[in-house]
């Protein structure tokens, strides 16, 4: 995950080549959340709108969206939009891992996934200096942000939600 909380999507790309299939898997996640008020537990703090990034992945249960747990925390309603599309689809949170700041979303409408090429999940860490692309919707952005570079470091770092030391 990037420091802005957007899922990182990386794939090896030849120099000068583009990875258009990555764009078919990029998702913007829109969430209405209602945080509890621990000082006055009989009420909530009121609804807020949160946005984040997601990536379509293949699971044993079919296509799903991988996003950040903090994006869907205290969610009341979740919608997703694929890159380049204006149609919003309702999503359901299937699982949340607060320790690693990841969440898995499901969309019932199969047309949402039509034409998407899921991002493969690597079985081992890439070598340092590998070319990478990061795609997502950073905080405050409504348009897709694409950054390219090289993998310069892999380390254990405490995650903001759990303070558990995991790979970053």
């Amino acid at each position: 995950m990037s420091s802005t909380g957007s899922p990182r999507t990386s794939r090896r790309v030849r120099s000068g080549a583009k990875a258009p299939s990555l764009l078919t898997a990029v998702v913007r996640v829109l969430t209405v959340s209602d945080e509890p008020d621990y000082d006055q537990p009989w009420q909530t703090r009121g609804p807020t709108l949160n946005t984040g990034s997601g990536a379509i992945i293949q699971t044993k249960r079919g296509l799903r969206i991988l996003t950040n747990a903090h994006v869907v925390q205290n969610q009341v309603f979740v919608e997703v939009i694929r890159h380049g599309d204006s149609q919003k689809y309702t999503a359901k949170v299937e699982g949340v891992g607060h320790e690693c700041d990841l969440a898995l979303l499901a969309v019932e409408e199969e047309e949402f996934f039509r034409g998407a090429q899921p991002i493969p999940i690597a079985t081992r860490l890439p070598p340092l200096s590998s070319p990478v692309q990061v795609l997502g919707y950073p905080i405050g952005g409504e348009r897709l942000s694409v950054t390219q570079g090289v993998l310069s470091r892999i380390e254990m770092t405490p995650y903001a939600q759990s303070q558990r030391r995991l790979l970053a």
Side-chain angles (χ1 to χ4, degrees):
M1 298 295 143
S2 72
S3 62
T4 61
S6 301
R8 288 188 180 178
T9 306
S10 64
R11 170 184 262 185
R12 296 185 115 200
V13 180
R14 289 185 310 274
S15 180
K18 293 183 180 178
S21 63
L22 289 178
L23 294 176
T24 68
V26 176
V27 176
R28 186 164 182 232
V29 181
L30 308 165
T31 306
V32 175
S33 300
D34 199 4
E35 184 180 351
D37 185 340
Y38 296 108
D39 294 329
Q40 300 175 17
W42 55 90
Q43 65 185 24
T44 63
R45 294 187 184 265
T48 58
L49 178 63
N50 302 306
T51 62
S53 304
I56 297 173
I57 62 169
Q58 181 68 52
T59 71
K60 291 180 182 179
R61 298 175 67 190
L63 294 173
R64 297 295 189 267
I65 300 165
L66 184 65
T67 190
N68 293 113
H70 71 264
V71 172
V72 296
Q73 187 173 346
N74 300 313
Q75 56 84 25
V76 176
F77 184 70
V78 180
E79 286 183 317
V80 291
I81 305 170
R82 291 227 349 240
H83 170 69
D85 195 357
S86 60
Q87 175 71 38
K88 295 178 184 176
Y89 293 85
T90 302
K92 181 180 91 174
V93 177
E94 277 195 342
V96 176
H98 291 289
E99 296 81 13
C100 56
D101 195 24
L102 291 174
L104 200 60
L105 309 178
V107 177
E108 288 186 17
E109 294 87 357
E110 289 184 24
E111 74 178 66
F112 173 80
F113 296 107
R114 195 166 294 137
Q117 292 184 354
I119 293 177
I121 304 295
T123 57
R124 60 181 111 163
L125 294 173
L128 293 177
S129 300
S130 296
V132 293
Q133 286 186 322
V134 181
L135 295 89
Y137 297 89
I139 294 173
E142 291 189 20
R143 296 183 58 183
L144 181 67
S145 177
V146 179
T147 304
Q148 296 185 31
V150 295
L151 182 62
S152 59
R153 178 174 52 196
I154 299 173
E155 65 184 358
M156 302 290 283
T157 187
Y159 275 53
Q161 282 193 301
S162 66
Q163 291 303 307
R164 223 162 148 195
R165 294 180 57 80
L166 299 170
L167 282 177

